[in-house]
Amino acid sequence: AAGVIQSPRHLIKEKRETATLKCYPIPRHDTVYWYQQGPGQDPQFLISFYEKMQSDKGSIPDRFSAQQFSDYHSELNMSSLELGDSALYFCASSPAGRGTDTQYFGPGTRLTVL
Amino acid sequence: RKEVEQDPGPFNVPEGATVAFNCTYSNSASQSFFWYRQDCRKEPKLLMSVYSSGNEDGRFTAQLNRASQYISLLIRDSKLSDSATYLCVVNHNQGGKLIFGQGTELSVKP
C-alpha cells in the first residue's frame, strides 16, 4: 500500500540558511500534519492542514511556514535556520475528513544545521 | 508536567516475558487514544488504537480507563523484534493533533 512520502530524507544546512521539506500524503488523505522530533524527545506538533486550509497550529516558530497545495501535498518552509532546528521532521496524513483520525507517518526528513 | 506521562524506561526483559506499559493523560477532554511504536531513527508506526472496552491484537492488549485517565499496553510472549520505543498518544478531537508521551524503551534480550 502507498505510504506517506517525504523528501528529502536527509538535509544539511548552515545557520541562517533556508530549507524546504516536502510531504506527499497517502492517496485520498485530505489532512496533513507536521511534527518535529528533537534528539531524545517525543514528536511535537507543528501545524496541520485540512483541504488546503490551516486547521491547527502548535509550537511552530514564526521563521517557519507551511502550506498544502491543490494536489494535497504539503511543504514546510524554514528560514533563518538555527542550530536548535536540527531534528527529525515527520509528516503524517489522515483521512480525517472522512470520519477516521488515525495518522500515518512518513519516514521523516533528518535536518542537520551546522 | 507533560499532558501524557508514561512509565520511565528502559524495560529490559528476556524473550517470552510479559511486559506492561502504563500511561496517564491529564486532559479529560481527550477523545482518541493510541499506542505507537518507534524504532530508532524511524517514524512512529501505529500499533493499535485503544478503546474503553479494551482491545486485543495477537500478543498485544490495550486498555483504557477514562475515569482514571489511564491507558495500558500488555505484551505477552515478548519477541526480540518487539524491542522499540512505545509511545502513548492521545488527541482531543477527530482530525486533531497527536499528543505524545515521552515513550518507554523496551529491550527484549535472548
Side-chain angles (χ1 to χ4, degrees):
Chain A
V4 176
I5 296 171
Q6 290 188 247
S7 68
R9 295 292 307 278
H10 302 273
L11 191 58
I12 299 174
K13 291 286 185 178
E14 300 275 344
K15 279 196 312 184
R16 292 180 289 276
E17 285 191 320
T18 61
T20 297
L21 279 52
K22 297 185 179 183
C23 169
Y24 298 85
I26 292 171
R28 293 182 296 283
H29 281 197
D30 50 16
T31 307
V32 168
Y33 309 80
W34 286 97
Y35 294 86
Q36 178 191 58
Q37 186 173 26
Q41 299 181 356
D42 51 278
Q44 295 292 315
F45 171 73
L46 293 177
I47 195 166
S48 61
F49 293 88
Y50 167 62
E51 285 291 342
K52 292 151 279 184
M53 299 289 289
Q54 181 181 306
S55 53
D56 197 3
K57 193 171 180 180
S59 49
I60 182 169
D62 292 340
R63 301 177 287 109
F64 294 6
S65 65
Q67 57 182 326
Q68 185 180 31
F69 294 86
S70 57
D71 64 352
Y72 294 100
H73 94 272
S74 178
E75 295 184 3
L76 177 66
N77 298 294
M78 310 161 72
S79 62
S80 303
L81 287 169
E82 301 174 357
L83 296 178
D85 296 329
S86 296
L88 264 171
Y89 290 83
F90 291 110
C91 171
S93 75
S94 169
R98 295 179 174 81
T100 176
D101 58 2
T102 301
Q103 295 184 23
Y104 299 88
F105 284 75
T109 294
R110 181 172 295 280
L111 172 66
T112 302
V113 181
L114 302 176
Chain B
R1 183 169 179 260
K2 282 180 67 69
E3 184 173 337
V4 179
E5 299 249 12
Q6 295 185 236
D7 276 352
F11 281 46
N12 297 303
V13 303
E15 267 187 295
T18 295
V19 60
F21 299 140
N22 302 311
C23 169
T24 57
Y25 60 95
S26 59
N27 191 328
S28 58
S30 298
Q31 295 282 331
S32 302
F33 309 87
F34 310 91
W35 283 100
Y36 275 76
R37 168 197 170 126
Q38 186 172 30
D39 293 278
C40 186
R41 293 173 168 254
K42 295 196 172 180
E43 74 273 25
K45 290 187 177 179
L46 179 67
L47 183 63
M48 55 200 308
S49 301
V50 190
Y51 307 108
S52 296
S53 55
N55 46 303
E56 187 174 314
D57 182 4
R59 298 181 294 108
F60 299 84
T61 301
Q63 295 278 352
L64 166 65
N65 184 321
R66 284 187 181 268
S68 304
Q69 296 180 197
Y70 170 88
I71 307 164
S72 66
L73 176 68
L74 185 75
I75 305 176
R76 289 181 299 277
D77 190 22
S78 300
K79 311 291 184 191
L80 296 177
S81 57
D82 293 333
S83 298
T85 295
Y86 289 82
L87 296 160
C88 178
V89 185
V90 308
N91 77 7
H92 299 158
N93 51 275
Q94 182 176 305
K97 65 186 179 188
L98 297 182
I99 301 160
F100 289 81
Q102 69 267 48
T104 302
E105 185 181 345
L106 172 65
S107 180
V108 181
K109 306 290 188 185

